[in-house]
């Protein structure tokens, strides 16, 4: 804690959800398992299939990794809190949870803007796409997004550590986040609100601007395609990304505008559920259903697995085992007689 901070609070109580805790535990546990399995499966599918070694799927695998990290920074504490009588988190644990959540959330916001630019390059410059979006350049973009996310989280965490928390210590949320924490501070939060408005406003504005400009150029390019089939094929590659963008930025904008427009904290928790649980869980589903290459790769992987399980060689092995067993039985019968 920073010098001169006279906080007496050493721990916080996460209020979370007070009704239907057993039912919510089952729902959130299943959604968390689905998030882990879906996103991890997407990463393995992309990394092990050579046909998916393209910039679009490289960014998609990074998006799946961020979804796992973002969900894992909040869900384990939420699940344990639903089973505990009193969900307590230490001051340092609360700050650490917020820091990592801010890193992954900011990085994902920037990565979605990068993916919009990638779709623009793929549709507008298809012949020079692989040269322009080389693997080295894609890695640089991902590293830049993580760097920006880390810097943003560091700025917010530094200003948060300057506040004094003298009580009460009950956070009306299921994880540590700036809006409910500012309501508990017994010192002025003016600087924190200005910093949050500046940083979050800049990141969201810049990312949305990149997305809007990219999709405007994409629509102009698609409109110039003579065949209807070509226009449909080009547009279909963007629908999954646009759906993910709408879910992510809609819930994030509602959550971070809350301190200034003073929505109810229950609405903030509802928006956070979409932000931390629903979006990471449905991202692999959206990309699997809307992307032809991913669907075909999944189908081939499933067919390969089934053919391996039910191959003639396995049947022949079972037959050999059965014959060996019958011979052993005959030999024992002869010995007995």
């Amino acid at each position: 804690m920073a010098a001169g901070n006279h906080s007496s609070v050493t721990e916080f109580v996460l209020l979370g959800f007070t009704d239907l805790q057993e039912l919510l535990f089952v729902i959130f546990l299943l959604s968390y398992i689905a998030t882990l399995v879906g996103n991890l499966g997407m990463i393995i599918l992309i990394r092990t299939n050579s046909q998916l070694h393209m910039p679009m799927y490289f960014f998609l695998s990074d998006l799946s990794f961020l979804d796992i990290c973002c969900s894992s920074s909040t869900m384990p504490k939420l699940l344990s809190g639903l089973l505990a009588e009193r969900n307590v988190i230490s001051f340092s644990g609360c700050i650490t949870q917020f820091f990592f959540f801010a890193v992954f959330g900011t990085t994902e916001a920037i990565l979605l803007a990068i993916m919009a630019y990638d779709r623009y390059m793929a549709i507008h410059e298809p012949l020079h796409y692989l040269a322009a979006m080389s693997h080295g350049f894609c890695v640089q973009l991902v590293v830049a997004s993580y760097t920006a996310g880390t810097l943003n989280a560091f700025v917010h965490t530094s200003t948060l550590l300057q506040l004094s928390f003298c009580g009460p210590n009950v956070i009306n949320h299921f994880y540590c986040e700036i809006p409910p924490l500012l309501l508990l501070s017994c010192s002025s939060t003016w600087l924190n609100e200005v910093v949050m408005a500046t940083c979050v406003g800049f990141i969201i504005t810049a990312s949305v601007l990149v997305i809007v400009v990219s999709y405007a150029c994409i629509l102009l390019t698609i409109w110039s395609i003579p065949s209807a089939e070509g226009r449909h094929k080009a547009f279909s590659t963007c629908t999954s990304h646009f759906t993910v963008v709408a879910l992510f930025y809609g819930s994030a904008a509602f959550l971070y505008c809350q301190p200034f427009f003073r929505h109810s904290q229950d609405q903030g928790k509802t928006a956070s559920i979409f932000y931390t649980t629903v979006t990471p869980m449905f991202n692999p589903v959206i990309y699997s259903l809307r992307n032809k290459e991913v669907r075909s790769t999944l189908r081939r992987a499933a067919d390969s697995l089934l053919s391996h399980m039910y191959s003639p060689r396995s049947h022949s092995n079972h037959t050999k085992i059965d014959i060996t067993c019958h011979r052993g039985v005959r030999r024992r019968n002869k010995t007995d007689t």
Side-chain angles (χ1 to χ4, degrees):
M1 194 174 299
N5 192 341
H6 303 289
S7 296
S8 60
V9 173
T10 59
E11 63 182 20
F12 292 103
V13 178
L14 296 172
L15 188 60
F17 302 93
T18 57
D19 298 326
L20 303 175
Q21 291 182 321
E22 292 80 6
L23 177 61
L24 289 177
F25 175 81
V26 175
I27 294 175
F28 288 138
L29 178 61
L30 293 177
S31 64
Y32 183 52
I33 293 175
T35 298
L36 296 179
V37 173
N39 286 284
L40 186 61
M42 185 68 71
I43 294 174
I44 295 174
L45 183 70
I46 293 173
R47 297 299 173 88
T48 58
N49 195 294
S50 59
Q51 294 182 351
L52 299 181
H53 290 176
M54 297 179 63
M56 173 184 176
Y57 302 106
F58 173 76
F59 293 131
L60 181 56
S61 65
D62 288 313
L63 179 66
S64 295
F65 174 75
L66 287 172
D67 283 334
I68 292 176
C69 294
C70 188
S71 183
S72 297
S73 64
T74 59
M75 290 302 294
K77 188 60 180 176
L78 170 61
L79 292 173
S80 63
L82 289 172
L83 298 179
E85 295 182 0
R86 191 167 177 263
N87 188 14
V88 178
I89 186 171
S90 64
F91 185 90
S92 59
C94 184
I95 298 298
T96 302
Q97 184 188 52
F98 164 74
F99 176 81
F100 283 105
F101 179 78
V103 169
F104 299 131
T106 306
T107 304
E108 184 165 346
I110 299 173
L111 183 64
L112 288 174
I114 294 174
M115 294 175 71
Y117 173 74
D118 170 73
R119 288 298 81 211
Y120 160 72
M121 292 298 297
I123 295 175
H124 185 69
E125 299 287 345
L127 299 179
H128 305 285
Y129 170 61
L130 294 179
M133 301 296 293
S134 63
H135 181 71
F137 182 61
C138 293
V139 171
Q140 292 176 0
L141 291 176
V142 172
V143 171
S145 65
Y146 275 94
T147 303
T150 303
L151 290 176
N152 178 65
F154 179 78
V155 170
H156 290 301
T157 304
S158 299
T159 57
L160 195 61
L161 288 172
Q162 302 300 320
L163 297 178
S164 297
F165 296 90
C166 308
N169 65 338
V170 179
I171 300 177
N172 189 11
H173 215 291
F174 60 89
Y175 69 97
C176 292
E177 182 58 293
I178 285 186
L181 280 173
L182 295 183
L183 297 176
L184 299 180
S185 176
C186 55
S187 58
S188 175
T189 60
W190 176 83
L191 178 61
N192 299 78
E193 294 187 3
V194 171
V195 170
M196 184 165 63
T198 304
C199 295
V200 176
F202 174 77
I203 292 172
I204 291 182
T205 302
S207 300
V208 171
L209 183 62
V210 171
I211 293 172
V212 170
V213 172
S214 298
Y215 273 100
C217 296
I218 288 173
L219 290 176
L220 292 176
T221 304
I222 292 176
W223 187 260
S224 63
I225 298 177
S227 64
E229 182 180 356
R231 290 195 297 268
H232 176 73
K233 182 179 179 180
F235 187 75
S236 63
T237 62
C238 305
T239 54
S240 56
H241 176 262
F242 187 79
T243 304
V244 171
V245 166
L247 286 174
F248 182 88
Y249 279 98
S251 56
F254 185 89
L255 175 65
Y256 288 104
C257 288
Q258 186 178 351
F260 310 106
F261 296 99
R262 302 296 177 185
H263 294 298
S264 69
Q265 296 186 53
D266 292 333
Q267 289 177 333
K269 285 192 286 188
T270 303
S272 297
I273 288 296
F274 280 90
Y275 188 69
T276 62
T277 306
V278 177
T279 301
M281 179 178 61
F282 279 104
N283 280 354
V285 179
I286 293 172
Y287 275 99
S288 299
L289 294 178
R290 301 296 302 176
N291 192 285
K292 182 178 179 181
E293 286 78 7
V294 174
R295 290 201 309 269
S296 60
T297 303
L298 282 172
R299 191 179 300 112
R300 287 194 300 269
D303 293 340
S304 176
L305 179 62
L306 291 176
S307 62
H308 179 74
M309 293 175 59
Y310 298 101
S311 61
R313 183 177 180 179
S314 63
H315 286 296
S316 63
N317 290 335
H318 286 298
T319 304
K320 290 179 180 179
I321 293 174
D322 293 338
I323 293 175
T324 304
C325 292
H326 285 299
R327 288 177 179 176
V329 172
R330 290 176 182 177
R331 289 174 183 174
R332 287 195 298 271
N333 291 336
K334 290 182 180 180
T335 303
D336 294 337
T337 55

